[in-house]
Amino acid sequence: MPDHLPKGKLRSRKGVGMKTKRINKQVTVAAGFLFLWWAPGLACAQDSAPGSAPPPSLASPEARVKKGPLDDFAGLTYTDEQRAKIDQIRQTTRQRMDAVRKDEKLAPEAKQAMLEGYQRLEISELFKVLTPEQQTEVRKKAQARHAQQQKKQNRPPTPR
């Protein structure tokens, strides 16, 4: 410890530095969350021109050619409340994905990774809206689809 500084002075300077780092970290995290909350609004504001038509709704799972995780939700009967929540989740996901597609600063690999991440997030959020019975049905469909994919690749299905 330097002789020209009193003991308490050095300790207080060290403590202030640690507090500052902690506060800076908290501010950074809060700013990140704020950006994530604000970013979909930016994408929506950029897309909405006066007099423009509303964006088309997502195609129904039956209209999709490729079998995927969202097809596991096909055939379920939703309540009005579930339908409203699902529409909100899909709209938010669509806005986020459109913003990623339009971002020219991102590398193609990064865009693809983000788009896939948003799809997984959408599926997770949709799953939470379902009743326990509907969740069981979706799990069975997903397991059957997974087993079919494994069979096509001539691999035994992995136990879950």
Side-chain angles (χ1 to χ4, degrees), residues 63-134:
R64 299 172 196 221
V65 177
K66 183 181 175 186
K67 292 285 279 178
L70 285 176
D71 291 329
D72 299 336
F73 292 83
L76 296 177
T77 305
Y78 302 113
T79 64
D80 291 338
E81 184 179 330
Q82 284 177 317
R83 228 177 252 119
K85 288 180 183 178
I86 289 169
D87 289 343
Q88 180 62 40
I89 291 167
R90 288 187 172 169
Q91 179 182 5
T92 302
T93 302
R94 183 174 42 243
Q95 290 172 349
R96 289 175 177 169
M97 292 175 80
D98 287 345
V100 169
R101 286 185 189 108
K102 291 177 184 178
D103 189 347
E104 296 180 13
K105 295 178 185 177
L106 290 173
E109 299 83 20
K111 279 187 183 183
Q112 187 62 34
M114 289 183 75
L115 293 173
E116 289 172 2
Y118 281 137
Q119 286 176 334
R120 286 191 300 272
L121 182 63
E122 177 186 24
I123 291 166
S124 171
E125 290 176 358
L126 291 174
F127 191 78
K128 292 176 186 175
V129 172
L130 303 178
T131 64
E133 295 81 18
Q134 290 171 323

Side-chain angles (χ1 to χ4, degrees), residues 2-3 15 19 47 49 64 101 118 131 147-148 158:
D3 292 333
K19 285 182 182 178
D47 292 344
R64 299 172 196 221
R101 286 185 189 108
Y118 281 137
T131 64
Q148 186 66 23
T158 56

Side-chain angles (χ1 to χ4, degrees), residues 133-148:
E133 295 81 18
Q134 290 171 323
Q135 289 178 354
T136 302
E137 189 174 336
V138 169
R139 277 192 196 105
K140 287 179 183 177
K141 288 180 182 181
Q143 289 171 349
R145 179 179 43 82
H146 182 73
Q148 186 66 23

